[in-house]
Amino acid sequence: MKKTARKLISVLLSILLAFSMATVGFAKEKVTPVIVVSGMNAFPLTLADTGEQVWPIQSDSILSVVKDNILPLTEFLFTYNWQKVGDEVIGDVYKALFEKVACDEKGNSVYDVETRIFSKSLDNYPDDFNEDDTVSEGGIARSIMREIGAENVYYFNYDWRLSPMKHAEALNTFIENVKKEKGADKVTLVPCSMGGTVTNAYLYKYGNSSVKKVIYTMSAIQGLSSVGEMFNRNIDVDLDTIMNYIFSIQKDDIKMQIIMALVNTLVEATPCITKFADKFIDDSLVELNDRVYDELMIESMGKFPGWWALVPDEYYDSAKEIFFGGNIPESFEKLIDSYHYNVQRNAEKIMKDTADKGTEVYVLASYGFVGAPYTNQAMTQTDGLIETHHQSGRAVTAPYGETLGKNYVAKSTKCSDKTHRHLSADGIIDASTCFFPEQTWFIKFNRHVGMPIDTDCEKLMRYLVTSDSYVNVCSNEKFPQFMELNRLTGELTSLTGDRIRADLRDKDSSFIIRLVIICDTIIKNIKTNLPF
């Protein structure tokens, strides 16, 4: 009897012990689900009934427009009649390339357009998030999947043309479904690029109670100056800016670097090419700028609420007046005002309130590239698309190719602790003015929403996703506030001030380009001393 009782007690204890161990093991394995909030053009826009891709515009469509207008374009080469070519081409361009993505005066899509939606965890979509995607939002999702498993990672995609306020409602439903599916109280959000507008709209409307962390990744939390300039009809293009853009954006492509160096040498040696190109561009802007806006842009992207969400506050009021020529539809104005005045203008307050209420807020920004080469804001620090100033929450940045100066003193508008050094060693960034000086990291030479797979950038993302406590720029010596990415090796190193380089190359490649630059310098000197 005693033996039987002992055995029974032993069995019960074993069961309790096993249950206890299983419970502990389950607690250790349970992770906070992560939702990557996509940016613009993460997945194509297609017509719901036919599946035809309507955005991004396909090269076949562009070639078709050129083919259909070959006669007026050829005639233009002889007549130089801008208005005639405008009469014959602008309408065709709109109909062929933009009509099917147009929105009406209420900001709704004219056609039944859709994009890919991923309602379940990413282990259900192996073909969409595979090894071919090493960068962009898909690459970021894969990086996080490597760390916490695809079953814990989700992807919120949306039609970027429409209002972020509308997407905020969908994101709220998405978050609640993820929480229910995973039995989680909170999620981590990783808004990328335009995803920052959607995330901040969500935080404004629904608060932070369901959000453990937000990791803004090169997000348009305050818009883009290039879009603000464009919507104020300030288009300014020249050959030199275009070449600077191509040269900076191709930093990791040594062949392109050499080609661009040779092209630059050719252009410098033949100034007539530059003068002709600049005159051609200037003439086109003078003759066709207003017609392109009135007949093409207002009827297409001008009625995308999503694009208006990217107009920075300092441009917004004038843009509405100038872009629409004083005739903005009332219903459309009300729609875009709802996001701008409630969310973008209050981005700092929304993000700080979120942090004050217990959500960890991190910001990843990038610099070292020229901006979009069609406005006078091109020669500023960007990640190749979004200005560093806007994506970082108001960091002070030097113009591209320049520094803040040896005698520059940090503004310290947000961090007044003199022991904290928020100046980059290369003299380009002052982070003391950011919304979150202690939680904002800068990666030099990292392209827009890059964070490429198999690089230290991936490790940084995974570190922020899995950190057990609220970290800052001093928490991990591997990830200081200012870092430099070598895109050839994938290595992130602490930024130093021993040299300020235009881009990164290996030694042999640098030597080749140095030879080209020497030749370029010789030609410049010869040209300077020529009598004509």
Side-chain angles (χ1 to χ4, degrees), residues 233-301:
R233 302 198 181 203
N234 291 332
I235 301 299
D236 185 13
V237 183
D238 61 62
L239 182 61
D240 186 56
T241 303
I242 294 173
M243 291 182 61
N244 271 316
Y245 176 78
I246 297 173
F247 195 84
S248 79
I249 208 68
Q250 296 291 342
K251 293 180 187 299
D252 55 330
D253 187 337
I254 187 59
K255 292 181 181 179
M256 181 59 72
Q257 290 286 311
I258 293 174
I259 291 172
M260 287 305 300
L262 291 172
V263 170
N264 187 60
T265 301
L266 175 63
V267 169
E268 290 289 341
T270 54
C272 57
I273 294 178
T274 303
K275 289 181 179 179
F276 174 80
D278 287 341
K279 184 179 185 307
F280 183 85
I281 294 170
D282 289 343
D283 288 349
S284 67
L285 294 177
V286 169
E287 298 290 341
L288 295 179
N289 192 54
D290 286 340
R291 290 194 61 179
V292 169
Y293 273 95
D294 295 338
E295 300 172 31
L296 178 62
M297 292 185 66
I298 286 179
E299 296 304 319
S300 55
M301 62 186 68

Side-chain angles (χ1 to χ4, degrees), residues 56 284 317 348 397 413 454 459:
S284 67
D317 290 327
E348 181 176 8
T397 67
T413 55
D454 294 327
K459 296 176 183 177

